Amino acid sequence: MPGRFGRCRQKKNDALGCCFRGDGRRMTAAREAIIAVLEKSSEHLSAEDVYVKVHRIYPRIGLTTVYRNLEFLTDSNVLAKCDFGDGRARYELIRTANGEKEHHHHLVCTTCGRVINYSEFIDEELQFLKRAEKGLSKKYDFQIADHLIQFYGTCQTCAGSKK
Ligand SMILES: [Zn+2]
Ligand SMILES: [Zn+2]
Ligand SMILES: [Zn+2]
């Protein structure tokens, strides 16, 4: 498995196809079920959330298998592991097999834990990112491929209830 792994990373656009061909049948079924669950979900799911949903379509799966596959899929750049500051990792698909999931940023409410995904970026943000990535890659001689942007604060509902 480790050899195949290395190849997946290079072949960015074919990561899914390449990872899922040829592995043990059971692992493949578990991974496909996990991906299917995350594809349908518009939220960020914890390992336990994924387990509950996967278990419905694939009853023989265990929690350990789910954990292991989530780690594997994260290492293979299929999933992103997000930390919203509540001590529980959440997962989301970086892209689907047909590349449909769109890139988004997060607004995290630290009071209720709500996470707003947005993909309508404001101009200032895009300009900042473009400049920051350019400057950083020059300064550290590093090719930036992606980023994870997350802002913490208070959502409208929580701000309203405090007044
Ligand atoms: Zn972005
Ligand atoms: Zn809130
Ligand atoms: Zn997200």
Side-chain angles (χ1 to χ4, degrees):
M1 210 191 293
R4 199 175 294 144
F5 214 25
R7 252 193 290 145
C8 288
R9 292 201 151 162
Q10 256 109 51
K11 284 175 102 190
K12 272 210 138 183
N13 295 321
D14 195 31
L16 283 168
C18 157
C19 286
F20 301 115
R21 242 170 272 142
D23 280 336
R25 272 219 108 127
R26 198 179 291 167
M27 289 293 269
T28 309
R31 265 172 226 158
E32 273 169 8
I34 288 170
I35 289 170
V37 158
L38 285 161
E39 236 163 20
K40 263 183 242 152
S41 173
S42 55
E43 284 169 59
H44 307 85
L45 302 177
S46 69
E48 291 76 14
D49 295 334
V50 172
Y51 169 69
V52 170
K53 285 172 194 277
V54 169
H55 199 257
R56 260 180 240 151
I57 39 178
Y58 189 61
R60 280 159 70 196
I61 204 165
L63 186 57
T64 324
T65 310
V66 171
Y67 276 127
R68 220 183 301 136
N69 281 293
L70 284 172
E71 285 304 316
F72 175 86
L73 290 167
T74 306
D75 287 344
S76 319
N77 292 323
V78 175
L79 302 184
K81 194 176 185 176
C82 312
D83 176 6
F84 296 129
D86 63 353
R88 226 176 181 211
R90 306 288 152 99
Y91 297 86
E92 71 183 352
L93 277 178
I94 292 176
R95 62 180 173 274
T96 58
N98 46 19
E100 259 176 14
K101 209 117 184 169
E102 64 183 341
H103 177 74
H104 63 264
H105 295 175
H106 299 139
L107 296 174
V108 184
C109 176
T110 49
T111 309
C112 69
R114 184 172 160 218
V115 180
I116 298 165
N117 291 341
Y118 68 94
S119 47
E120 278 178 33
F121 308 112
I122 58 170
D123 291 345
E124 290 87 338
E125 189 176 16
L126 295 174
Q127 281 162 20
F128 161 77
L129 277 168
K130 214 171 159 187
R131 256 185 281 144
E133 290 189 354
K134 205 174 160 193
L136 284 168
S137 64
K138 201 174 164 194
K139 181 166 182 187
Y140 296 99
D141 196 15
F142 185 91
Q143 278 192 9
I144 295 174
D146 201 4
H147 58 251
L148 192 87
I149 306 276
Q150 205 156 286
F151 297 98
Y152 295 94
T154 315
C155 77
Q156 202 180 21
T157 318
C158 293
S161 64
K162 262 185 223 157
K163 276 174 202 160

